[in-house]
Structure formats: C-alpha cells, structure tokens
Amino acid sequence: MMPAAACMPPGIHEEQLLAELRRLSWGAADILLAYGRGEQPPYGFPMALSVDEGGEGPVSAADLAVNQWLLDGLQNAFPDAGWTLLSEETAKEQLTAGQPLDAEWLWILDPLDGTKDFLQGTGEYAVHLALAHRGEPVLGVVLLPEMEQLWIGLVPQMRAWCENRAGEQRSANLSPRSALGDLVLVASRNHRDQRLEQLLEALALGDTKAIGSVGGKVATILRGETDLYISLSGKSAPKDWDMAAPEAVLRAAGGAFTHADGRPLSYNDGDIRQAGCLIASHGPSHRQLCEKAATAMATIDPGFAV
C-alpha cells in the first residue's frame, strides 16, 4: 500500500498557495475570454493571428498564452519550491516515453481543455491544473471561465468547493441518486463510438447530458446535475492533463474516479495516456457501476484492458 500523500510541499503554506492560484486562475480566465471574443488579451499577450496572417488561430494563441501565464506565475511566486511543472504544451520537450519525470511534486497543466468548444463558442471549455505527490493528485483546480466558476479540491483534507470572482464559496453538492436506472450520465458530443453505446445500453442508466471538456463534465457531477462520466479509450486515449485536476476535485468532494476494475488512476508513470475504461462518479454506486461495466466490456471488446 502506498503511503498517504502529503498535503503541501515543504515550505509551501496552503493559504498562500491558494491565494496565488486564485489570482492566476482568474487571470487565465481573462486571457481566454479575450481570445474567445477576438479582443485584446491582457498582460501583454498578442492578439491572435489567423493562419492567413501567419499565425495559428485563436485556439493556439490562447493555449500558449494561458500556458505561459500559469507556468511563469507559479515559478515566479514560488521560486524555491521543489516542484516540477509539466503541461500539455511542454510535454514533448520534457518527457521520454517509458520514463517518469524525476519529480516528487509535479504540477500537471492543461491550459485549454475543450478546444473544439472554445472554437465553436459553446463556452464549455476549462483550464485544468493539478499538483501530484508521488504520482497521486493532492490538489486540483478546474476553471470554467464562461461560467465564472473556480473549483478547488484538496484531496487529503477531503475538501472541495467552488468560488466566483468575488471569492464567494459554495461546497460541492453531489446528488443523492443511487439506483443505476436513475443515474444521469454526462457524455461528450464528439468522442462516442459503438463500444461506448453498447456499454451504456448494458448499464441501463437514466438520462444523459452532453457537455464539453472533462473538467466541465466533472463540474456537472460536483453541482449534482449528473452522476457519472465514462471515458472509454479507442485508437486514442486522454492524457494525464485531461484527468488529474478533475479527478482531484471530484475525489476531494467525496466522489470516485477509477478504472472499471477498481484500479486508481496513476500519473507520471512513464505513460501519459489514461487508457482503458475510466469511470468518474458521485460515489454511492461506484462499485456497482465498475463491476457492471467490467463485465459488459468483457463481452463487448474481449481482451480490452479496462
């Protein structure tokens, strides 16, 4: 059994870190909102150039700007912290396949989760930022700029809450539903295949709600609007930065996020893919969901490692 994860790195005070994360998060929100509206972004970042103008468009510009804002912000605020910073944008330079980073404390960042939704203007995109200790997320931040919601979860303390810009807080409000036939699934609009449809038929759940971004999906569970999310990898799989922050906040709120066989998710293990059948839920029916999903997948896709 792995030792319990620590709360904070040595020399880092929780309230000081949370105050900085609030400042950086709302700054990231302002950057994304400006790019999404075609306005001048703050903090000296350039306007987005179209491909015709020699740029890569608003998604890439926003992605890179938020990436720089958050990574530089953490580095400047805590120059002596003994942590490593990893993001979707820096992974190619930092990672070697099969080799974990030499980092006891690791920030895992996705500066823009839900790029299609950002581009399409649905507002259903998020920023994910998680702090992992020895491969286990201990702190998660999920920012929903368009909804002005900042979700924060501290896993060891089992505390999760939502803040607005004014600093007003409210706790997570997981639903009381428990019977599988009553559970509400939150699903992707874009990532669905025949195997997933067969799995959902086997689970015989209740209603379904479609939302973009993993963080956005998990936020619906945290608000009590839905009860579970299923990620079923195929030719591609989500990555560490897709799952780490949403998992941290959900677990801190009392929910669960595991493989269908009950295995915990692992991070910085030499493989950034979060492959398999992953189930995030509000908790009460999690074991039953996992058992039923694992049994169904053995028939739907024999040999598939859940």
Side-chain angles (χ1 to χ4, degrees):
M1 186 173 180
M2 290 182 63
C7 298
M8 292 287 155
I12 302 296
H13 300 287
E14 180 181 301
E15 285 307 315
Q16 180 188 8
L17 178 57
L18 290 177
E20 195 61 28
L21 288 173
R22 291 181 180 103
R23 183 187 74 82
L24 292 172
S25 294
W26 292 119
D30 290 336
I31 293 169
L32 287 169
L33 290 168
Y35 277 114
R37 296 167 183 167
E39 300 171 355
Q40 174 65 52
Y43 312 115
F45 290 105
M47 289 282 287
L49 296 177
S50 70
V51 176
D52 292 341
E53 297 171 308
E56 296 179 319
V59 172
S60 294
D63 216 324
L64 294 172
V66 172
N67 185 75
Q68 181 181 339
W69 168 254
L70 291 174
L71 295 187
D72 286 355
L74 283 169
Q75 181 63 41
N76 293 336
F78 304 97
D80 300 319
W83 55 41
T84 300
L85 306 170
L86 171 70
S87 83
E88 182 178 12
E89 298 301 323
T90 63
K92 287 183 179 179
E93 291 75 34
Q94 286 182 270
L95 298 177
T96 301
Q99 297 181 20
L101 288 172
D102 183 14
E104 180 180 358
W105 293 92
L106 179 67
W107 284 104
I108 304 173
L109 167 65
D110 188 344
L112 178 55
D113 187 65
T115 53
K116 287 185 179 179
D117 287 276
F118 181 81
L119 193 59
Q120 293 166 1
T122 69
E124 296 173 1
Y125 58 88
V127 178
H128 297 172
L129 182 62
L131 179 62
H133 180 233
R134 296 174 180 163
E136 180 183 351
V138 295
L139 183 157
V141 174
V142 173
L143 170 70
L144 307 176
E146 297 284 351
M147 296 185 74
E148 298 239 321
Q149 290 186 0
L150 177 62
W151 286 94
I152 301 173
L154 300 170
V155 180
Q157 295 96 320
M158 292 292 290
R159 280 203 301 135
W161 68 95
C162 181
E163 298 187 5
N164 61 18
R165 282 183 184 263
E168 299 167 331
Q169 299 181 4
R170 68 176 188 273
S171 299
N173 183 32
L174 306 183
S175 93
R177 294 179 288 266
S178 59
L180 295 195
D182 294 334
L183 299 186
V184 180
L185 172 81
V186 60
S188 297
R189 294 190 182 90
N190 303 313
H191 304 288
R192 301 182 70 144
D193 63 15
Q194 185 178 4
R195 296 176 310 138
L196 180 58
E197 298 296 345
Q198 290 176 288
L199 175 57
L200 297 181
E201 184 177 351
L203 291 175
L205 304 169
D207 199 6
T208 300
K209 184 173 184 177
I211 292 288
S213 165
V214 178
K217 292 178 179 67
V218 168
T220 67
I221 301 175
L222 295 165
R223 294 193 297 264
E225 299 163 7
T226 68
D227 304 297
L228 74 150
Y229 160 60
I230 298 175
S231 171
L232 188 62
S233 60
K235 293 181 180 178
S236 64
K239 308 296 191 298
D240 282 3
W241 41 81
D242 295 307
M243 299 303 191
E247 181 200 346
V249 181
L250 183 58
R251 286 179 52 207
F257 205 148
T258 69
H259 287 262
D261 61 4
R263 286 181 298 125
L265 278 63
S266 64
Y267 300 89
N268 191 32
D269 59 7
D271 183 356
I272 58 171
R273 299 172 303 159
Q274 292 290 342
C277 179
L278 313 182
I279 301 179
S281 83
H282 67 327
S285 310
H286 194 79
R287 179 177 293 182
Q288 186 181 4
L289 282 165
C290 286
E291 290 173 352
K292 199 166 183 180
T295 299
M297 287 308 300
T299 300
I300 295 168
D301 192 354
F304 178 74
V306 299

